[in-house]
Amino acid sequence: MLGSAVGTQGKFMAKYGYYECRAKLQRPPGVWAAFWLQSPQVSKGEDPAKYGAEIDVMEFFKKLGPDIVSHNVHWAYGPNQQTTHGMQSCRKGVSQGFYTFALEWIPDKYIFYVDGLKYYEVASGVSNIEQYLILSMEYPGKREELLKTIFPDVFTIDYVRVYQKVDKEKCSC
């Protein structure tokens, strides 16, 4: 269940590149912060190259532990949905201050980073279409998990940056 979100659909769409967010995560368990990329066509078919994917650059479920962030890729929304299953990165103190979460997306894989350190490379579910960015704070699906949240709580974003390589053949420089 979505609590609140900021997205770039219809404003900024991109494929490939280095996507980075510096943020301070929520304090208590219950709600969870996320930085992700989404395809507007992910439910229209099963080929991620053609229909895109949901790329979870970072999700912070504090119930997993105060030092663990998750990364995931989902595609083919519907009865045949596929997933890489949650990859978890342990980064001491990640729930205590500002940290940088990043994704390098190239035509044949995704690479996930926390504070510039590479944690995972994934060659499954690779999208070859433009996608939009989302920053969200979501509510858990179970009432007992929501009761563990202490309000007000925040997911503080310092910045979001997207870097893309310039095609020198198309550059008029």
Side-chain angles (χ1 to χ4, degrees):
M1 176 188 327
L2 190 60
S4 60
V6 174
T8 65
Q9 186 174 17
K11 304 285 183 201
F12 177 79
M13 305 272 288
K15 72 175 182 176
Y16 311 136
Y18 188 81
Y19 298 77
E20 179 179 85
C21 172
R22 183 173 183 267
K24 184 176 182 181
L25 304 174
Q26 82 275 7
R27 292 171 287 128
V31 295
W32 78 90
F35 170 42
W36 44 303
L37 283 73
Q38 180 67 298
S39 163
Q41 300 179 44
V42 70
S43 63
K44 294 181 180 176
E46 296 183 12
D47 181 359
K50 184 176 179 182
Y51 298 105
E54 172 187 325
I55 309 162
D56 297 325
V57 179
M58 177 282 302
E59 290 184 289
F60 183 57
F61 303 97
K62 198 163 187 178
K63 67 182 180 182
L64 299 177
D67 300 323
I68 297 173
V69 292
S70 297
H71 322 277
N72 213 330
V73 180
H74 310 279
W75 65 98
Y77 282 5
N80 297 317
Q81 181 171 324
Q82 301 291 311
T83 184
T84 58
H85 300 287
M87 299 166 279
Q88 297 175 344
S89 300
C90 183
R91 185 77 175 131
K92 195 76 174 158
V94 77
S95 63
Q96 300 300 312
F98 281 93
Y99 283 79
T100 304
F101 308 97
L103 168 78
E104 184 176 0
W105 172 16
I106 56 179
D108 63 342
K109 67 182 168 184
Y110 305 112
I111 306 168
F112 296 89
Y113 299 87
V114 179
D115 272 357
L117 300 173
K118 178 169 66 171
Y119 279 83
Y120 292 97
E121 287 189 22
V122 176
S124 301
V126 178
S127 171
N128 296 126
I129 67 169
E130 290 186 336
Q131 302 202 175
Y132 57 96
L133 285 73
I134 301 173
L135 296 157
S136 61
M137 182 83 121
E138 301 184 42
Y139 295 118
K142 296 180 180 174
R143 187 178 193 284
E144 56 272 10
E145 289 181 25
L146 184 59
L147 293 174
K148 296 175 185 174
T149 299
I150 299 167
F151 292 105
D153 199 6
V154 294
F155 173 29
T156 306
I157 310 301
D158 182 28
Y159 65 78
V160 176
R161 296 179 179 150
V162 177
Y163 301 91
Q164 293 185 297
K165 290 183 179 182
V166 174
D167 185 346
K168 291 181 181 178
E169 293 178 13
K170 294 181 181 178
C171 184
S172 61
C173 309

